[in-house]
Amino acid sequence: MAEKETEENNKAAAIEKPAEGETDGEADGEKLELPELGPFETIIGQRMPSLFFKFQFKNVEYSSGRHKTFLCYSVEKQGTDCERSEGYVEDEHAGTHAENAFFTDIFTECDGSLSYSVIWYVSSSPCAVCAAKLAEYLGKCPNVQLTIFVARLYMWEEAEIQQGLRKLHGAGCRLRIMKAPEYNYCWNTYVDNEGEAFVPWEDLQESSTFYEEKLNEILHHA
């Protein structure tokens, strides 16, 4: 099995280091202000149409026509109070990808005195550039725990993609493959399902197992 989708080769990332003299947010409870990098064409919402989810998150071998990235997120902030927010981001590939839009439009500052649990459910795994930038971000914000569940591995046979995923894993990101429980959770949490139950497609489990094996090979065999 291999990813056959055609996507932009320059999948740009936009998570930058703070400017010289700014705090990295690791000490004394200082706030990390992420730079403004817009405007970008991104769609942010609470629940996506069910047809979008069924098509974009399907873990098929041939993913032709799936040129967007859909990212469902959950952010839990823990400190004096516990706050939780959730929704989804859909990119239009007009200057940024959903991974970056999350940090420019949603998670726009990081308080070093708090801890954050961030969980993503993404239609495909990050490209090499996005993975490297995410690893860089996690390196300077150790109070952010990022877990990424992916439906499909993007161009997993490419050496630079594999290196990017290993770099992200090494930075502490928990990389996982979506399985039936994650699909069911997303369906009930992020999809306008009109009361319908999630119905797994025939080869969902088989495809999840395949991608899980490939991801384990990539992360643990340099």
Side-chain angles (χ1 to χ4, degrees):
M1 180 187 292
E3 279 287 344
K4 301 298 183 181
E5 64 185 325
T6 302
E7 294 200 15
E8 298 174 2
N9 293 326
N10 60 340
K11 195 177 182 187
I15 304 172
E16 303 291 348
K17 291 182 178 179
E20 185 176 354
E22 291 183 358
T23 175
D24 61 6
E26 294 184 21
D28 301 324
E30 300 154 329
K31 286 190 176 182
L32 170 66
E33 296 289 342
L34 300 182
E36 295 183 2
L37 299 171
F40 300 123
E41 286 188 32
T42 56
I43 298 172
I44 299 173
Q46 293 298 314
R47 288 179 176 263
M48 71 182 73
S50 59
L51 289 177
F52 285 13
F53 180 79
K54 290 178 181 179
F55 180 73
Q56 297 290 347
F57 278 84
K58 195 169 186 178
N59 55 355
V60 292
E61 176 179 1
Y62 300 103
S63 51
S64 177
R66 294 168 174 84
H67 304 311
K68 296 183 179 184
T69 300
F70 280 74
L71 185 156
C72 302
Y73 66 86
S74 168
V75 178
E76 187 172 289
K77 179 171 65 174
Q78 296 180 334
T80 54
D81 296 310
C82 183
E83 298 179 12
R84 180 184 174 87
S85 61
E86 58 191 24
Y88 80 93
V89 182
E90 169 191 347
D91 70 38
E92 292 286 355
H93 290 205
T96 189
H97 275 211
E99 298 95 332
N100 301 317
F102 174 83
F103 287 99
T104 57
D105 297 340
I106 297 169
F107 193 74
T108 55
E109 63 179 33
C110 178
D111 188 335
S113 68
L114 304 176
S115 61
Y116 301 85
S117 175
V118 180
I119 301 176
W120 290 355
Y121 303 88
V122 192
S123 55
S124 63
S125 58
C127 70
V129 176
C130 287
K133 290 296 184 178
L134 287 170
E136 181 181 321
Y137 178 87
L138 293 176
K140 60 186 177 66
C141 295
N143 57 322
V144 176
Q145 175 60 65
L146 177 62
T147 302
I148 304 178
F149 288 90
V150 302
R152 302 184 304 275
L153 290 177
Y154 171 73
M155 297 182 67
W156 61 268
E157 293 179 307
E158 299 291 334
E160 64 176 357
I161 296 293
Q162 296 182 9
Q163 183 179 7
L165 292 176
R166 284 194 290 268
K167 184 177 295 186
L168 187 53
H169 175 68
C173 177
R174 299 169 180 168
L175 289 166
R176 304 286 189 270
I177 298 298
M178 288 181 65
K179 298 179 181 178
E182 286 75 43
Y183 277 100
N184 189 66
Y185 173 78
C186 287
W187 177 261
N188 291 318
T189 306
Y190 303 104
V191 178
D192 186 9
N193 58 42
E194 299 182 347
E196 295 183 9
F198 177 67
V199 179
W201 42 92
E202 183 178 354
D203 56 351
L204 185 153
Q205 183 59 45
E206 180 182 353
S207 296
S208 293
T209 300
F210 171 83
Y211 279 127
E212 185 174 49
E213 292 174 351
K214 292 303 176 185
L215 180 61
N216 287 334
E217 290 176 7
I218 291 169
L219 297 184
H220 302 295
H221 297 82

